[in-house]
Amino acid sequence: MSVVREKIEPVPIVFADDGLVPNNPMPFLIYKGAVALDHSHPEEAIEKLFGANGWGAMWRNGVYDFLHYHATVHEVLGVARGHARVRFGGDNGKVFEISAGDVAILAAGTGHQCLGATPDFSVVGAYPPGPPMDLVRPTPESHARALKTIPEVKLPTTDPVMGADGPLVRLWARS
């Protein structure tokens, strides 16, 4: 069973477009220690939390060790086990130590790459309703295409951790 820690706010960070990784004007959000996990079935607990908040098309794995982003969909990563060093925002982004209970929410275009992880590192990924996940490696051509697709990605109606009244809804509001 998972329990969302009360009154937790994500840390919002806006990463600049570096010419290869477009990132997004909407902030990357990281909830540190957001979820208290039952150690017997942490992946299931995160899946239930994300599903209850309207995020689906879930998977379990780690984070790829090569730089990539998604140009047609937003993504949430919930750490179920272990810990890792992950760079978000591309080569000019920021490295985070993420561990069990942390949740990262990536607006479409946000670069990410695992730089190292413990053997037990396990992540649950999910997406809001919409098109399927695409996997894009940074090239000038993919960057040009992404600049057209990213503004068209529909805003989620819920925060995958806090639901309809969660910070994502407020922080990602387009003007």
Side-chain angles (χ1 to χ4, degrees):
M1 169 133 197
S2 72
V3 177
V4 176
R5 299 190 193 278
E6 290 187 37
K7 298 184 183 184
I8 189 157
E9 283 286 321
V11 175
I13 301 170
V14 175
F15 298 114
D17 181 333
D18 68 7
L20 289 176
V21 176
N23 289 304
N24 198 304
M26 295 185 301
F28 161 79
L29 304 174
I30 188 156
Y31 284 99
K32 293 296 288 173
V35 184
L37 295 169
D38 170 346
H39 294 287
S40 59
H41 302 288
E43 289 87 357
E44 289 176 15
I46 292 172
E47 289 166 347
K48 287 180 184 175
L49 174 65
F50 292 167
N53 289 318
W55 289 58
M58 292 180 225
W59 52 267
R60 296 179 186 186
N61 202 339
V63 175
Y64 290 126
D65 62 359
F66 56 87
L67 179 57
H68 66 286
Y69 60 90
H70 311 292
T72 61
V73 67
H74 308 297
E75 181 176 44
V76 62
L77 305 172
V79 182
R81 299 174 197 264
H83 61 274
R85 290 179 55 244
V86 178
R87 182 173 42 230
F88 294 100
D91 290 338
N92 298 321
K94 183 174 179 179
V95 176
F96 285 87
E97 293 282 340
I98 58 174
S99 57
D102 292 349
V103 175
I105 308 172
L106 292 72
T110 302
H112 48 298
Q113 174 183 16
C114 184
L115 302 176
T118 57
D120 62 338
F121 182 60
S122 175
V123 170
V124 173
Y127 309 95
M133 184 274 290
D134 64 333
L135 182 81
V136 182
R137 291 183 186 238
T139 66
E141 297 79 20
S142 60
H143 180 267
R145 281 191 304 274
L147 292 179
K148 295 175 184 168
T149 61
I150 290 169
E152 302 302 318
V153 177
K154 186 177 171 186
L155 287 176
T157 58
T158 59
D159 181 302
V161 175
M162 304 295 283
D165 296 324
L168 174 145
V169 178
R170 176 182 75 251
L171 293 168
W172 283 11
R174 289 187 176 136
S175 44

